[in-house]
Amino acid sequence: MDITQACEAFRVLLEEQQARIANANEEKKDFSGMDTITVGIIDGDGIGPLIMAQAEKVLRMLLADDIAAGKIVLKNIEGLTVENRLALGKSVPEEVLAQIKACDVLLKGPTTTPMGGTMESANVTLRRELDLYANVRPVSIPEEGIDWIFYRENTEGEYVLGSRGVSLPGMAVDFKVTTDFGTRRIAKAAFDYAKNNGKTRVSIVTKANIMKKTDGKFTEICHQVAENYPGIQADDWYIDIMTANLVNPAIRSGFQVVVLPNLYGDIITDEAAQLQGGVGSAGSANIGDRYAMFEAIHGSAPRMIADGLQDYVNPTSILRATVMLLRHICRQDAAQRLEKALDDCDVTVTGDANGATCQAFMNQLLTLL
Ligand code: IPM
Ligand code: MG
């Protein structure tokens, strides 16, 4: 590619992004009044099918009455496997996407992103296709008074054009995009959560001293949104010091809600999950106005399969995500029951042969439900 071609590619990207802004639609779905809610179950690959089998079992138990009454339909969606995606050359094959779009909410196992090549991560495609703009990741360490919730912007920033950068002789350029509407809606989601859950503080995290245009906009708009929430303190931090703050026992329990752009949110939520007990311990919700998708925070762990550690997979993260799904579809009692059982279960799965097996964990969890 030469400079003229690169400029042309950039022009196309800018036009597409302007069109995205023009088409933004902010109508919200209200689950409380719906007659039938369709929950899509997507296994994914690697350890995905193993942990999803446990999550589906738990969902069927907790929602038995609703399922029998036809109020909730669980629908298994096949075909989002790395083999099928590679064979069709699509990160999310069209017929799979059509089935997904026919659901209201999704519970999804981890999907492998092939290294190299041009195939986009299925997660990123789904977040964009379903406009799942809020990646919500709670982390709690009760014994230290830590109760954090991260609102990571999930459709923009470094990810929106992540597979569409340009290479020129001797150099490469990627793009980061921050829009007013995209920032406003994630900020609103974070502040609404704070307001509705008795939180008094929202921390805005960027690198606005360096990424002046994009992160500068993000910070500015978050502060504008904050003005509509009297009684909630908004403070801002740079991502580098924030990663240090999370391991600083003197101040870390003071953070409550954190709102941040996509890539920083990706990185810091792994750090936070690790502090809580590993990336296998945290759930993750991808929420939009029309759809929502709940998943484990970790990947498909093909190494566990290769090493024959199938029996030791940890279903905790997908089960935490299941709690979030139940809350989202207004099944508070079921959510509460599962959350309490997970809090009380003292069988420790570590993801290797030093820990308990998935079966041992599930045996206890099911008795606690
Ligand atoms: C996550 C994951 C994804 C991301 C990958 C699988 C594309 O790390 O959900 O945090 O980068 O967002
Ligand atoms: Mg991540």
Side-chain angles (χ1 to χ4, degrees), residues 212-288:
K212 289 183 188 291
K213 295 281 184 247
T214 48
D215 287 357
K217 178 185 281 302
F218 193 94
T219 308
E220 187 187 321
I221 290 181
C222 284
H223 279 294
Q224 282 168 13
V225 169
E227 285 169 18
N228 301 323
Y229 297 82
I232 299 178
Q233 173 197 334
D235 45 21
D236 49 76
W237 301 84
Y238 295 136
I239 182 67
D240 47 354
I241 192 62
M242 192 65 183
T243 57
N245 289 344
L246 294 195
V247 288
N248 180 350
I251 59 169
R252 65 179 176 177
S253 61
F255 294 104
Q256 299 178 2
V257 181
V258 180
V259 61
L260 68 183
N262 210 336
L263 183 60
Y264 312 136
D266 175 48
I267 296 167
I268 211 169
T269 53
D270 268 12
E271 183 198 15
Q274 186 61 36
L275 292 168
Q276 171 188 259
V279 291
S281 68
S284 174
N286 301 271
I287 308 217

Side-chain angles (χ1 to χ4, degrees), residues 351-366:
D352 57 37
N354 298 320
T357 61
C358 178
Q359 196 53 58
F361 176 88
M362 288 305 298
N363 286 347
Q364 193 191 81
L365 188 85
L366 294 178

Side-chain angles (χ1 to χ4, degrees), residues 72-369:
I72 291 184
V73 175
L74 299 192
K75 195 173 139 205
N76 291 91
I77 297 177
E78 315 285 332
L80 200 68
T81 59
V82 67
E83 295 81 13
N84 196 34
R85 289 152 58 221
L86 280 174
L88 296 171
K90 294 284 274 181
S91 71
V92 179
E94 264 137 46
E95 67 280 10
V96 178
L97 186 58
Q99 288 184 61
I100 288 174
K101 285 190 170 172
C103 298
D104 298 301
V105 295
L106 302 145
L107 187 65
K108 177 185 150 297
T111 44
T112 307
T113 306
M115 263 225 264
T118 52
M119 185 169 293
E120 186 175 60
S121 141
N123 276 32
V124 174
T125 308
L126 285 174
R127 290 168 185 171
R128 190 183 51 243
E129 286 288 339
L130 306 179
D131 204 18
L132 306 173
Y133 60 85
N135 186 191
V136 183
R137 297 183 158 176
V139 164
S140 86
I141 312 174
E143 58 281 18
E144 288 191 41
I146 290 174
D147 188 16
W148 298 326
I149 189 157
F150 296 86
Y151 272 76
R152 162 191 178 193
E153 201 295 317
N154 211 22
T155 46
E156 304 199 332
E158 303 77 0
Y159 282 65
V160 64
L161 301 170
S163 45
R164 300 178 63 191
V166 293
S167 292
L168 291 156
M171 66 184 281
V173 182
D174 277 318
F175 303 105
K176 164 161 171 160
V177 179
T178 299
T179 68
D180 290 14
F181 92 92
T183 308
R184 214 175 293 119
R185 63 185 184 174
I186 186 68
K188 218 174 150 297
F191 281 94
D192 279 344
Y193 176 86
K195 184 176 161 193
N196 297 335
N197 291 277
K199 305 289 178 191
T200 53
R201 181 179 184 194
V202 176
S203 303
I204 304 155
V205 177
T206 66
K207 189 73 184 173
N209 50 342
I210 303 299
M211 295 277 102
K212 289 183 188 291
K213 295 281 184 247
T214 48
D215 287 357
K217 178 185 281 302
F218 193 94
T219 308
E220 187 187 321
I221 290 181
C222 284
H223 279 294
Q224 282 168 13
V225 169
E227 285 169 18
N228 301 323
Y229 297 82
I232 299 178
Q233 173 197 334
D235 45 21
D236 49 76
W237 301 84
Y238 295 136
I239 182 67
D240 47 354
I241 192 62
M242 192 65 183
T243 57
N245 289 344
L246 294 195
V247 288
N248 180 350
I251 59 169
R252 65 179 176 177
S253 61
F255 294 104
Q256 299 178 2
V257 181
V258 180
V259 61
L260 68 183
N262 210 336
L263 183 60
Y264 312 136
D266 175 48
I267 296 167
I268 211 169
T269 53
D270 268 12
E271 183 198 15
Q274 186 61 36
L275 292 168
Q276 171 188 259
V279 291
S281 68
S284 174
N286 301 271
I287 308 217
D289 292 333
R290 164 90 185 74
Y291 297 101
M293 180 172 86
F294 299 81
E295 59 187 354
I297 198 172
H298 55 75
S300 58
R303 237 169 318 171
M304 283 192 76
I305 304 288
D307 294 348
L309 292 171
Q310 284 86 333
D311 290 349
Y312 297 93
V313 297
N314 187 353
T316 309
S317 183
I318 196 72
L319 291 171
R320 292 273 175 202
T322 306
V323 172
M324 298 175 87
L325 181 151
L326 290 166
R327 287 226 164 89
H328 190 76
I329 60 171
C330 304
R331 297 307 189 268
Q332 305 298 346
D333 288 352
Q336 207 82 28
R337 273 172 69 191
L338 178 55
E339 188 166 52
K340 180 151 192 337
L342 285 166
D343 288 346
D344 292 348
C345 184
D346 59 9
V347 177
T348 309
V349 188
T350 54
D352 57 37
N354 298 320
T357 61
C358 178
Q359 196 53 58
F361 176 88
M362 288 305 298
N363 286 347
Q364 193 191 81
L365 188 85
L366 294 178
T367 62
L368 291 169
L369 267 184

